[in-house]
Amino acid sequence: MEEAEEEKKDEADYKRLHSFPLIRHSDMPEEMRVETMELCVTACEKHVTNNESAAKMIKETMDKKFGSSWHVVIGEGFGFEITHEVKNLLYMFFGGSLAVCVWKCS
């Protein structure tokens, strides 16, 4: 019985620890970075089981808010090398191992 309670406590600690976004790299202005990060969190929470829908939501919102040509990648265990416009990149982690990369390229 005690082991089960300890397991639940460990799981709760893990969820609390990984429930905030961790920005790995960004060259966006502060205001844009905060808005983009909040949008990414909202999309990932809304579409927990469908990364494609979350990416589409982020891209469409970024296109409307900051002009067209935004690209979004969401997933686990991938590598990338991209070209982007200066001051238009956000790379973050959310929920532990879910990576989100948002960039603009004209």
Side-chain angles (χ1 to χ4, degrees):
M1 183 72 171
E2 196 172 304
E3 286 180 24
E5 287 178 22
E6 185 67 30
E7 233 177 80
K8 286 181 183 179
K9 183 179 180 283
D10 289 344
E11 186 177 329
D13 288 345
Y14 179 83
K15 285 182 180 177
R16 186 170 30 292
L17 180 66
H18 292 94
S19 64
F20 64 93
L22 174 65
I23 295 179
R24 180 76 171 124
H25 177 76
S26 177
D27 65 356
M28 290 180 170
E30 178 71 24
E31 189 175 312
M32 180 188 265
R33 180 174 59 240
V34 170
E35 284 185 51
T36 305
M37 180 183 63
E38 289 173 356
L39 172 61
C40 292
V41 169
T42 301
C44 290
E45 287 177 342
K46 183 175 181 180
H47 302 284
V48 175
T49 59
N50 191 340
N51 291 341
E52 188 175 342
S53 294
K56 184 176 182 179
M57 178 182 167
I58 294 167
K59 184 206 177 344
E60 289 175 351
T61 304
M62 294 297 288
D63 282 348
K64 287 178 189 170
K65 193 158 204 149
F66 300 109
S68 63
S69 298
W70 285 91
H71 306 275
V72 181
V73 174
I74 300 176
E76 297 179 24
F78 62 88
F80 61 93
E81 183 66 34
I82 59 171
T83 301
H84 67 91
E85 289 184 10
V86 177
K87 299 196 180 283
N88 286 292
L89 171 72
L90 174 75
Y91 177 45
M92 63 180 266
F93 290 94
F94 179 71
S97 60
L98 189 65
V100 181
C101 187
V102 181
W103 74 96
K104 185 174 185 177
C105 185
S106 34

